[in-house]
Amino acid sequence: MVGPSRFMTLLSVFELGIVDLLRRTPGLTAAQLGKAVGAKPDAVEQLLLLLVKEGFLAHDESTGAYTLDALADVPETDLRRARAYMNLIKVTALRQLFYLTESVRTGTTVGLRELYGAEGTLYDAVADHGDLRDAWSKLMDTVTAHIDPWFFGNIDIPSGAQVLDLAGNTGLGAIHTYRHKASPGLKVTTFDLPEKENEALENFRAHGMSEHLSFIGGNVFDEIPQGFDVVLIKHFLDMFDKDDVLTILRGVNKALKAGGQVNILVPVYPENIKDTDNYNVDFFPAFFIGATMGQGGPQKLSTYRSWLEDSGFEVTKAITKDSAEIPPDVIPVQAILSATKAA
Amino acid sequence: MVGPSRFMTLLSVFELGIVDLLRRTPGLTAAQLGKAVGAKPDAVEQLLLLLVKEGFLAHDESTGAYTLDALADVPETDLRRARAYMNLIKVTALRQLFYLTESVRTGTTVGLRELYGAEGTLYDAVADHGDLRDAWSKLMDTVTAHIDPWFFGNIDIPSGAQVLDLAGNTGLGAIHTYRHKASPGLKVTTFDLPEKENEALENFRAHGMSEHLSFIGGNVFDEIPQGFDVVLIKHFLDMFDKDDVLTILRGVNKALKAGGQVNILVPVYPENIKDTDNYNVDFFPAFFIGATMGQGGPQKLSTYRSWLEDSGFEVTKAITKDSAEIPPDVIPVQAILSATKAA
C-alpha cells in the first residue's frame, strides 16, 4: 500500500536536489535546505523522515542537521542509474498504472491513451512525446551499456557470419555487434520498421561502419528476411504473449540457414516463482500490460526453452545472470538462450 | 522502485474480481479466469505471478489451477477495509504523486489541478468529483468505525458539558460524541465552514439528536467560538504545518473556559523514526503534501505535546495506539492527547 508514496518520496528528494546539496554541504538543516531548493522547511522535514527511517540520510535531532548516511557510500554512477530507473517508472508507469485493470481487459495501453491521447504502444508514443522519450532512452542507454558486454561475451558469432539483428531499432545493436564481434567478412543487418531506416543508416555512417552494416525494413509478424547464419533477439520477446512469441520464433527459424543460430537476450522469471532475490515478477507484468504494450511480460527460462523447441530449435545454451552480479537498483534479471536451427 | 507496480498489480487482481471468483470456485485456470473476467489468459497469468510469489494465492503448475492461499484466511471485512485503503490510494494519490516535487515547491496540490482542474485541497475537490468523494468517504467510514470507539473510550467528557467538535464536517463527530458520551445537559456543537451547515442539521435530525446538537459556521483560522468545556479535534491537526497548528491550538485555548479540556485524535510518527512497525512515515508526507493539502503531515507525539504546552495547555494524557492492535492493512497509527487550559 505504501509503495507509491515511498517511491515518490524518495524520487522527489532527488528531484529537489537535496541529495546533491548534502553531498556538497553536509549538515544543512531543514530551514537551509528549504531555502536552497525553494520549499517550505516543514515539507522538507516531512519528506526526509522516510530517508532517515531507511538509513539513506542521518538526522541530528539536537542541531537539526542532515547528512548523507548510506547514500554517502553510493558511487555517482550507481545513483545516476538508479535515478534513470526511477524516472522511467515515474514517467512511463506511475500514472498509467491507474488504468491497469482496463489495460488487462482490453489488451491495450489505456493509460497512454488517457494521459497522452496516444494509440499503440509506449514504443510508438516515444516518437511523439519528449518526456516519455527522454525517460525511456536514458534508461535504455544505461541498460545497454550494462548488459551488452555480458551478452556478447556469452554468444558465439562465427567469423564472416551474416547476422540479423531482429527488431534492431535504429542500429545500435548492429553497431555493438560489430564492435564486440568484428571478423573479416562479418555483416550485420538491422531489421525493423521501415521508418527506422534513415536514422539507422545515419548511425552506421557516424560510426564509420556503413560498409559492414545494413538495414532492411519490415515487420517481424509479416516476413523476416532469410539466409542468415545468426539472428539476435535482444529486449524483444518479453513484449509479447505466447502466440506472438511463437510466431516470431518460427519466422526466425525460417530466416536462418540450416545449422544457423539464434541468440536471445531476455529478462526471465525465476524457476521458483517465490524466489525473493529477483524483482521481475514485482515489476514486469504491470509494466508491460499497463504501461508499454497492453500485453507481454517475461517467462521462465524453462518456458522460453520449450517454446524454442516447439519452434524447430535445439537449445545449446540457457544461462541466467547471477543476481549477485546485478546492482541492487537494477530490476531485470536477464538470461541468454542460444539455439540451433534443427536439421 | 517496484512499489507502484506491486501496488497496482495486487489491486488490479481484486478489481478484476479474481479473488472473489477463486473464493467461490477454487481451482480455476488462467484460461477459465480470463474467460470469466474478460481478459486474455496470458495477462491473468502474468498478474497472478506476484500473488503466488507473496503467498496470497497458490498455483499448481501441473494442472494450472489457482486457489486462495493466505487470502483464504482473511475475513471478508478485513479485505473490504484493505480494498478501501487501496482504492483511496489509487484514486486520490497514485497519479497525483507524479507531481509531488512541484507540490513540495509550491505548497499546493499540483496533481489535483493537473488531473481534475481543481484548485484547493482534496477536501474541496471531493465536493465536485464523484470518484474522489467515493474513495474518500468509503475509507473515512471504515476509519471512523474503527477508531472512534477507542477515542471515546479514552477521553473524559464531564456530565452536562458544552462540547465543540472542531472542523466537525457535517456532524458525524457530534453524533458519535452524543452516542458515546450522552449525559443530562450534554450539548455538542459542530464547528466547520458555513456550507456544511444544512447537511449537518439534516444529519442531526435524521439521528433524532437536534435537541442536543448544533452547528456554528466559521473558519478555524479566523475565530473559534468561545465558552466551551471541551473541544475535540479529530483527524485535523495533521493537515497543517507547524505555524497553522499553533494558530489552531491558540484559538482552541481561547475557545475553552478556564480549566476546560482539549482532546486530540491524530496519527503520530514513532519517537524513534527508524521504528519499522509503523508506516506513517512511508505514507503521510507524500499523501498530505502531494495528494491532499500541499502541506501538513503528522508529527511525533512529543512534538504535539510541546506544541500544546507552547499554546497554553497542560498535557494530561498522551497515548499512542498499540501497533499490535492495528490490523496489518491499516496505515495510520493514531494517538490521543488530552490537555487542560492552563490557569
Side-chain angles (χ1 to χ4, degrees):
Chain A
M1 274 193 211
V2 295
S5 54
R6 283 174 59 89
F7 172 81
M8 273 311 303
T9 301
L10 177 58
L11 181 52
S12 189
V13 170
F14 278 106
E15 288 181 346
L16 288 165
I18 290 176
V19 175
D20 293 337
L21 266 171
L22 289 176
R23 194 184 301 278
R24 287 199 302 274
T25 316
L28 296 175
T29 63
Q32 293 168 321
L33 286 167
K35 201 168 173 192
V37 307
K40 202 168 168 190
D42 304 64
V44 170
E45 213 167 64
Q46 287 280 335
L47 284 192
L48 294 187
L49 288 166
L50 178 62
L51 282 86
V52 172
K53 176 177 181 179
E54 296 296 328
F56 292 156
L57 301 184
H59 183 221
D60 181 332
E61 300 207 3
S62 61
T63 64
Y66 292 95
T67 48
L68 299 188
D69 190 357
L71 284 180
D73 303 327
V74 181
E76 279 286 344
T77 51
D78 289 6
L79 272 188
R80 246 198 315 275
R81 186 185 51 232
R83 282 200 55 182
Y85 263 101
M86 294 188 78
N87 192 54
L88 174 84
I89 293 168
K90 175 191 167 189
V91 175
T92 69
L94 182 69
R95 291 169 302 166
Q96 287 83 338
L97 289 179
F98 179 88
Y99 308 96
L100 178 59
T101 298
E102 293 90 320
S103 286
V104 170
R105 287 214 166 101
T106 60
T108 63
T109 48
V110 177
L112 277 174
R113 191 160 64 236
E114 292 287 334
L115 294 160
Y116 290 89
E119 299 294 335
T121 71
L122 176 64
Y123 310 100
D124 304 324
V126 293
D128 300 324
H129 300 280
D131 59 336
L132 296 172
R133 186 167 59 245
D134 287 353
W136 179 250
S137 61
K138 275 215 186 72
L139 192 270
M140 286 314 294
D141 289 350
T142 71
V143 165
T144 302
H146 171 73
I147 203 72
D148 265 17
W150 180 70
F151 177 68
F152 287 110
N154 277 286
I155 66 166
D156 181 47
I157 295 189
S159 182
Q162 308 298 298
V163 178
L164 186 71
D165 186 25
L166 197 80
N169 199 11
T170 55
L172 187 64
I175 291 164
H176 282 190
T177 306
Y178 197 83
R179 191 176 284 155
H180 284 94
K181 295 291 190 180
S183 66
L186 177 71
K187 301 274 183 193
V188 188
T189 301
T190 296
F191 179 63
D192 212 309
L193 302 176
E195 60 261 35
K196 314 261 187 180
E197 177 159 10
N198 286 343
E199 198 177 334
L201 296 181
E202 187 55 48
N203 284 337
F204 299 159
R205 263 193 300 279
H207 285 80
M209 296 183 185
S210 295
E211 195 188 327
H212 316 290
L213 311 183
S214 62
F215 186 96
I216 297 179
N219 182 317
V220 292
F221 296 110
D222 296 338
E223 191 164 21
I224 301 171
Q226 304 189 1
F228 291 91
D229 302 302
V230 173
V231 174
L232 308 179
I233 316 180
K234 292 164 59 192
H235 310 299
F236 189 61
L237 290 187
D238 47 336
M239 290 159 55
F240 302 100
D241 286 342
K242 179 179 182 178
D243 45 3
D244 282 344
V245 175
L246 291 177
T247 301
I248 295 165
L249 292 179
R250 288 186 195 119
V252 167
N253 194 273
K254 279 176 63 184
L256 284 167
K257 296 180 194 161
Q261 190 144 59
V262 63
N263 296 290
I264 297 168
L265 178 69
V266 68
V268 292
Y269 296 135
E271 293 299 317
N272 174 2
I273 222 67
K274 297 199 173 196
D275 272 359
T276 52
D277 62 350
N278 180 320
Y279 288 97
N280 285 0
V281 160
D282 306 64
F283 178 67
F284 280 116
F287 185 65
F288 276 111
I289 297 171
T292 68
M293 293 293 296
Q295 63 162 306
Q299 301 291 337
K300 294 180 183 181
L301 192 67
S302 59
T303 303
Y304 282 125
R305 176 191 275 276
S306 80
W307 291 357
L308 276 164
E309 288 165 358
D310 292 347
S311 308
F313 287 99
E314 188 185 324
V315 177
T316 57
K317 179 182 269 189
I319 56 171
T320 303
K321 196 153 170 53
D322 185 349
S323 296
E325 290 170 21
I326 301 172
D329 56 280
V330 171
I331 295 170
V333 175
Q334 304 274 1
I336 296 170
L337 290 113
S338 298
T340 306
K341 177 174 180 166
Chain B
M1 276 193 208
V2 295
S5 53
R6 284 173 60 89
F7 172 81
M8 272 311 303
T9 301
L10 176 60
L11 180 52
S12 189
V13 169
F14 279 106
E15 287 181 346
L16 287 164
I18 290 176
V19 175
D20 294 337
L21 266 170
L22 290 176
R23 193 184 302 277
R24 288 199 302 274
T25 316
L28 296 175
T29 63
Q32 293 167 322
L33 287 168
K35 202 168 172 192
V37 306
K40 202 168 166 189
D42 304 63
V44 170
E45 214 167 63
Q46 289 279 334
L47 283 194
L48 294 186
L49 288 167
L50 178 62
L51 281 85
V52 173
K53 177 178 180 179
E54 296 296 329
F56 292 156
L57 302 183
H59 183 221
D60 181 333
E61 299 207 3
S62 61
T63 64
Y66 292 94
T67 47
L68 299 189
D69 191 357
L71 284 180
D73 304 325
V74 182
E76 279 287 345
T77 51
D78 288 7
L79 272 188
R80 245 199 317 274
R81 186 185 50 232
R83 283 200 56 181
Y85 262 101
M86 294 187 78
N87 192 55
L88 173 84
I89 293 168
K90 174 190 168 190
V91 175
T92 69
L94 181 69
R95 294 169 301 166
Q96 287 83 336
L97 290 179
F98 179 87
Y99 307 96
L100 178 58
T101 299
E102 293 91 320
S103 286
V104 170
R105 286 215 168 100
T106 61
T108 63
T109 50
V110 177
L112 277 174
R113 192 160 64 236
E114 293 288 332
L115 294 160
Y116 290 88
E119 299 292 336
T121 72
L122 176 64
Y123 310 100
D124 303 324
V126 293
D128 300 323
H129 300 281
D131 60 336
L132 296 172
R133 186 168 55 244
D134 287 354
W136 179 251
S137 61
K138 274 214 187 72
L139 191 269
M140 284 315 294
D141 288 351
T142 72
V143 165
T144 301
H146 170 73
I147 203 72
D148 265 18
W150 179 70
F151 176 68
F152 286 109
N154 276 285
I155 66 165
D156 180 49
I157 295 190
S159 180
Q162 309 299 298
V163 178
L164 185 72
D165 186 24
L166 196 79
N169 200 11
T170 55
L172 187 63
I175 292 164
H176 282 191
T177 305
Y178 197 83
R179 190 175 287 155
H180 284 93
K181 296 290 190 181
S183 66
L186 177 71
K187 302 273 182 195
V188 188
T189 302
T190 297
F191 179 62
D192 212 309
L193 301 176
E195 60 261 35
K196 315 261 187 181
E197 177 159 8
N198 286 343
E199 199 179 332
L201 295 181
E202 187 56 48
N203 284 336
F204 298 158
R205 264 193 300 275
H207 285 80
M209 296 183 185
S210 295
E211 194 187 329
H212 315 290
L213 311 183
S214 61
F215 185 96
I216 298 179
N219 184 316
V220 292
F221 294 111
D222 295 338
E223 190 164 22
I224 301 172
Q226 304 188 4
F228 292 90
D229 302 301
V230 174
V231 174
L232 308 179
I233 316 179
K234 292 164 59 193
H235 311 296
F236 190 61
L237 290 187
D238 48 336
M239 292 159 54
F240 302 99
D241 285 343
K242 179 177 181 179
D243 44 4
D244 282 343
V245 175
L246 291 178
T247 301
I248 295 165
L249 292 179
R250 288 187 195 120
V252 167
N253 193 272
K254 278 175 64 183
L256 284 167
K257 297 180 194 161
Q261 191 145 58
V262 62
N263 296 290
I264 298 169
L265 178 70
V266 68
V268 290
Y269 296 136
E271 293 299 317
N272 174 3
I273 222 68
K274 296 199 173 196
D275 272 0
T276 54
D277 61 351
N278 180 318
Y279 287 97
N280 284 1
V281 161
D282 306 64
F283 178 67
F284 279 116
F287 184 66
F288 275 111
I289 297 171
T292 68
M293 292 294 295
Q295 64 162 306
Q299 301 290 337
K300 295 179 182 180
L301 192 67
S302 59
T303 303
Y304 283 124
R305 176 190 275 275
S306 80
W307 290 358
L308 276 164
E309 288 163 358
D310 292 347
S311 307
F313 287 99
E314 188 185 324
V315 177
T316 56
K317 179 183 270 191
I319 57 171
T320 303
K321 196 153 169 57
D322 186 350
S323 297
E325 291 169 21
I326 302 173
D329 57 278
V330 171
I331 295 171
V333 175
Q334 304 273 3
I336 295 170
L337 290 114
S338 298
T340 306
K341 178 174 179 164

